[in-house]
Amino acid sequence: MKNILRPALVLFFILTLITGVAYPLLVTGVAQSLFPSQAAGSFIMRDGKAVGSELIGQNFTDPKHFWGRPSATGPMPYNASASSGSNKGPLNPALTDAVKSRIEVLRALDPGNTKSVPVDLVTASASGLDPHISPAAAKYQVSRVARAQKLAADKVQALVDAQTELPMFGFLGESRVNVLKLNLALDNLR
């Protein structure tokens, strides 16, 4: 038994040091040296203070700002420690009711807007933390934001166009707009 136990324990400790200590330190060191901003959380700084991350959405509710996707995290929206989707399927009445109420809120705040409400403004992403919306979702909100900000709609639309990120390499993913960056640019415009 001693002949079997000792090599097994030695191998266990060696593999623990390699996979539990050396490898994570190596990967962290490489990430911090090659991608320092991303490894540090992709923070967006304003006046020397972090105002958010490019990677985690925020709960914007002021009509003067663009709104992101609804968040399914609890107990509060965009809670990074509780990242998850709602797991409600398309036939779930609770999801249908939530979508209907979100559409009613959007319509009530912008009654003159007769466009179809983009799906990403009324449904949560799989993580519940998505910092991006589609260009269509941003465009849908232009008239409300322009009116609330007392700006020309074409000026706000130009800002949306400038903040629209294209697919990676021109074909990977979809065009998207980072809501935090858009709102910061909007604040700078005033």
Side-chain angles (χ1 to χ4, degrees):
M1 182 71 151
K2 191 176 183 181
N3 292 341
I4 295 174
L5 190 56
R6 183 175 178 183
L9 286 175
V10 168
L11 186 59
F12 171 76
F13 286 116
I14 289 172
L15 288 175
T16 299
L17 287 174
I18 292 171
T19 62
V21 178
Y23 180 74
L25 287 174
L26 175 71
V27 169
T28 302
V30 168
Q32 288 179 341
S33 63
L34 296 178
F35 309 102
S37 174
Q38 293 89 337
S42 298
F43 288 114
I44 297 175
M45 307 298 282
R46 179 179 251 186
D47 300 326
K49 293 183 180 180
V51 294
S53 171
E54 288 184 45
L55 305 175
I56 298 178
Q58 293 186 19
N59 191 26
F60 292 102
T61 57
D62 186 344
K64 291 181 178 184
H65 285 112
F66 286 88
W67 298 343
R69 291 189 78 157
S71 176
T73 65
M76 61 190 175
Y78 299 101
N79 180 1
S81 66
S83 174
S84 69
S86 69
N87 292 331
K88 294 176 184 167
L91 300 179
N92 187 321
L95 177 64
T96 304
D97 293 343
V99 167
K100 284 180 184 176
S101 71
R102 291 170 184 153
I103 290 173
E104 288 172 7
V105 168
L106 290 168
R107 295 271 188 225
L109 287 169
D110 196 5
N113 192 342
T114 58
K115 300 175 195 161
S116 296
V117 177
V119 70
D120 54 327
L121 285 179
V122 294
T123 58
S125 66
S127 70
L129 303 173
D130 197 347
H132 297 96
I133 55 175
S134 66
K139 186 174 184 173
Y140 179 84
Q141 300 180 73
V142 165
S143 62
R144 171 184 54 82
V145 171
R147 190 172 49 258
Q149 294 276 5
K150 296 179 176 61
L151 294 169
D154 58 341
K155 197 170 192 178
V156 176
Q157 181 59 52
L159 190 63
V160 169
D161 294 340
Q163 291 294 319
T164 299
E165 301 170 19
L166 299 175
M168 189 181 298
F169 307 120
F171 66 93
L172 290 177
E174 298 288 327
S175 293
R176 62 210 172 276
V177 179
N178 186 295
V179 179
L180 176 59
K181 287 181 175 180
L182 177 59
N183 284 331
L184 290 173
L186 181 65
D187 290 344
N188 287 338
L189 192 62
R190 286 187 288 144

PDB file of all heavy atoms in Angstrom, residues 5 12 19 24 95 103 115-117 120 136 153 165 175:
ATOM      1  N   LEU A   5       0.667   4.504  -2.507  1.00  0.00           N
ATOM      2  CA  LEU A   5       0.201   5.773  -1.964  1.00  0.00           C
ATOM      3  C   LEU A   5       1.207   6.912  -2.136  1.00  0.00           C
ATOM      4  O   LEU A   5       0.849   8.014  -2.522  1.00  0.00           O
ATOM      5  CB  LEU A   5      -0.146   5.598  -0.472  1.00  0.00           C
ATOM      6  CG  LEU A   5      -0.868   6.765   0.190  1.00  0.00           C
ATOM      7  CD1 LEU A   5      -2.142   7.099  -0.554  1.00  0.00           C
ATOM      8  CD2 LEU A   5      -1.162   6.432   1.636  1.00  0.00           C
ATOM      9  N   PHE A  12       0.094  13.887  -7.276  1.00  0.00           N
ATOM     10  CA  PHE A  12      -0.995  14.801  -6.968  1.00  0.00           C
ATOM     11  C   PHE A  12      -0.441  16.203  -6.654  1.00  0.00           C
ATOM     12  O   PHE A  12      -0.924  17.211  -7.185  1.00  0.00           O
ATOM     13  CB  PHE A  12      -1.822  14.267  -5.795  1.00  0.00           C
ATOM     14  CG  PHE A  12      -2.824  15.245  -5.265  1.00  0.00           C
ATOM     15  CD1 PHE A  12      -3.995  15.499  -5.959  1.00  0.00           C
ATOM     16  CD2 PHE A  12      -2.594  15.923  -4.073  1.00  0.00           C
ATOM     17  CE1 PHE A  12      -4.914  16.410  -5.478  1.00  0.00           C
ATOM     18  CE2 PHE A  12      -3.505  16.829  -3.586  1.00  0.00           C
ATOM     19  CZ  PHE A  12      -4.681  17.079  -4.290  1.00  0.00           C
ATOM     20  N   THR A  19      -0.820  22.754 -12.479  1.00  0.00           N
ATOM     21  CA  THR A  19      -2.119  23.201 -12.999  1.00  0.00           C
ATOM     22  C   THR A  19      -2.829  24.208 -12.101  1.00  0.00           C
ATOM     23  O   THR A  19      -3.672  24.963 -12.565  1.00  0.00           O
ATOM     24  CB  THR A  19      -3.057  21.998 -13.238  1.00  0.00           C
ATOM     25  OG1 THR A  19      -3.286  21.334 -11.987  1.00  0.00           O
ATOM     26  CG2 THR A  19      -2.479  21.040 -14.240  1.00  0.00           C
ATOM     27  N   PRO A  24      -1.885  29.028 -14.022  1.00  0.00           N
ATOM     28  CA  PRO A  24      -2.641  30.276 -13.866  1.00  0.00           C
ATOM     29  C   PRO A  24      -1.749  31.517 -13.786  1.00  0.00           C
ATOM     30  O   PRO A  24      -2.093  32.574 -14.332  1.00  0.00           O
ATOM     31  CB  PRO A  24      -3.424  30.087 -12.561  1.00  0.00           C
ATOM     32  CG  PRO A  24      -3.553  28.607 -12.416  1.00  0.00           C
ATOM     33  CD  PRO A  24      -2.285  28.056 -12.994  1.00  0.00           C
ATOM     34  N   LEU A  95     -42.554  35.482 -19.581  1.00  0.00           N
ATOM     35  CA  LEU A  95     -41.719  36.170 -20.565  1.00  0.00           C
ATOM     36  C   LEU A  95     -42.592  37.039 -21.468  1.00  0.00           C
ATOM     37  O   LEU A  95     -42.254  38.196 -21.739  1.00  0.00           O
ATOM     38  CB  LEU A  95     -40.908  35.177 -21.406  1.00  0.00           C
ATOM     39  CG  LEU A  95     -40.049  35.803 -22.508  1.00  0.00           C
ATOM     40  CD1 LEU A  95     -38.970  36.708 -21.927  1.00  0.00           C
ATOM     41  CD2 LEU A  95     -39.420  34.725 -23.371  1.00  0.00           C
ATOM     42  N   ILE A 103     -42.507  46.817 -23.844  1.00  0.00           N
ATOM     43  CA  ILE A 103     -42.954  47.521 -25.054  1.00  0.00           C
ATOM     44  C   ILE A 103     -43.852  48.691 -24.670  1.00  0.00           C
ATOM     45  O   ILE A 103     -43.725  49.798 -25.212  1.00  0.00           O
ATOM     46  CB  ILE A 103     -43.668  46.551 -26.020  1.00  0.00           C
ATOM     47  CG1 ILE A 103     -42.666  45.574 -26.625  1.00  0.00           C
ATOM     48  CG2 ILE A 103     -44.420  47.317 -27.106  1.00  0.00           C
ATOM     49  CD1 ILE A 103     -43.285  44.468 -27.458  1.00  0.00           C
ATOM     50  N   LYS A 115     -42.193  52.922 -35.135  1.00  0.00           N
ATOM     51  CA  LYS A 115     -41.340  51.832 -35.618  1.00  0.00           C
ATOM     52  C   LYS A 115     -41.551  50.589 -34.768  1.00  0.00           C
ATOM     53  O   LYS A 115     -41.957  50.668 -33.611  1.00  0.00           O
ATOM     54  CB  LYS A 115     -39.860  52.237 -35.542  1.00  0.00           C
ATOM     55  CG  LYS A 115     -39.486  53.441 -36.351  1.00  0.00           C
ATOM     56  CD  LYS A 115     -38.042  53.797 -36.079  1.00  0.00           C
ATOM     57  CE  LYS A 115     -37.739  55.191 -36.569  1.00  0.00           C
ATOM     58  NZ  LYS A 115     -36.540  55.740 -35.970  1.00  0.00           N
ATOM     59  N   SER A 116     -41.218  49.440 -35.335  1.00  0.00           N
ATOM     60  CA  SER A 116     -41.248  48.195 -34.567  1.00  0.00           C
ATOM     61  C   SER A 116     -40.167  48.250 -33.494  1.00  0.00           C
ATOM     62  O   SER A 116     -39.060  48.723 -33.758  1.00  0.00           O
ATOM     63  CB  SER A 116     -40.989  46.982 -35.463  1.00  0.00           C
ATOM     64  OG  SER A 116     -42.021  46.850 -36.396  1.00  0.00           O
ATOM     65  N   VAL A 117     -40.499  47.760 -32.302  1.00  0.00           N
ATOM     66  CA  VAL A 117     -39.530  47.764 -31.210  1.00  0.00           C
ATOM     67  C   VAL A 117     -38.535  46.625 -31.450  1.00  0.00           C
ATOM     68  O   VAL A 117     -38.935  45.469 -31.579  1.00  0.00           O
ATOM     69  CB  VAL A 117     -40.224  47.577 -29.847  1.00  0.00           C
ATOM     70  CG1 VAL A 117     -39.201  47.513 -28.728  1.00  0.00           C
ATOM     71  CG2 VAL A 117     -41.224  48.700 -29.600  1.00  0.00           C
ATOM     72  N   ASP A 120     -33.997  43.291 -29.020  1.00  0.00           N
ATOM     73  CA  ASP A 120     -32.997  43.402 -27.960  1.00  0.00           C
ATOM     74  C   ASP A 120     -33.323  44.489 -26.946  1.00  0.00           C
ATOM     75  O   ASP A 120     -32.665  44.579 -25.914  1.00  0.00           O
ATOM     76  CB  ASP A 120     -31.576  43.551 -28.518  1.00  0.00           C
ATOM     77  CG  ASP A 120     -31.398  44.687 -29.504  1.00  0.00           C
ATOM     78  OD1 ASP A 120     -32.348  44.979 -30.250  1.00  0.00           O
ATOM     79  OD2 ASP A 120     -30.310  45.260 -29.540  1.00  0.00           O
ATOM     80  N   ALA A 136     -30.147  49.036 -34.693  1.00  0.00           N
ATOM     81  CA  ALA A 136     -31.592  49.270 -34.810  1.00  0.00           C
ATOM     82  C   ALA A 136     -32.189  49.684 -33.461  1.00  0.00           C
ATOM     83  O   ALA A 136     -33.065  50.553 -33.400  1.00  0.00           O
ATOM     84  CB  ALA A 136     -32.292  48.014 -35.340  1.00  0.00           C
ATOM     85  N   ALA A 153     -32.411  65.511 -33.846  1.00  0.00           N
ATOM     86  CA  ALA A 153     -32.386  64.048 -34.001  1.00  0.00           C
ATOM     87  C   ALA A 153     -31.252  63.602 -34.922  1.00  0.00           C
ATOM     88  O   ALA A 153     -30.632  62.562 -34.678  1.00  0.00           O
ATOM     89  CB  ALA A 153     -33.725  63.543 -34.520  1.00  0.00           C
ATOM     90  N   GLU A 165     -20.048  49.823 -33.781  1.00  0.00           N
ATOM     91  CA  GLU A 165     -18.878  48.961 -34.013  1.00  0.00           C
ATOM     92  C   GLU A 165     -19.249  47.924 -35.063  1.00  0.00           C
ATOM     93  O   GLU A 165     -20.293  47.279 -34.964  1.00  0.00           O
ATOM     94  CB  GLU A 165     -18.476  48.270 -32.708  1.00  0.00           C
ATOM     95  CG  GLU A 165     -18.134  49.225 -31.582  1.00  0.00           C
ATOM     96  CD  GLU A 165     -17.969  48.516 -30.244  1.00  0.00           C
ATOM     97  OE1 GLU A 165     -17.763  47.279 -30.220  1.00  0.00           O
ATOM     98  OE2 GLU A 165     -18.072  49.198 -29.215  1.00  0.00           O
ATOM     99  N   SER A 175     -23.005  44.013 -36.206  1.00  0.00           N
ATOM    100  CA  SER A 175     -22.740  45.392 -35.815  1.00  0.00           C
ATOM    101  C   SER A 175     -23.401  45.625 -34.467  1.00  0.00           C
ATOM    102  O   SER A 175     -24.452  45.049 -34.169  1.00  0.00           O
ATOM    103  CB  SER A 175     -23.319  46.357 -36.852  1.00  0.00           C
ATOM    104  OG  SER A 175     -22.634  46.225 -38.070  1.00  0.00           O
TER     105      SER A 175
END
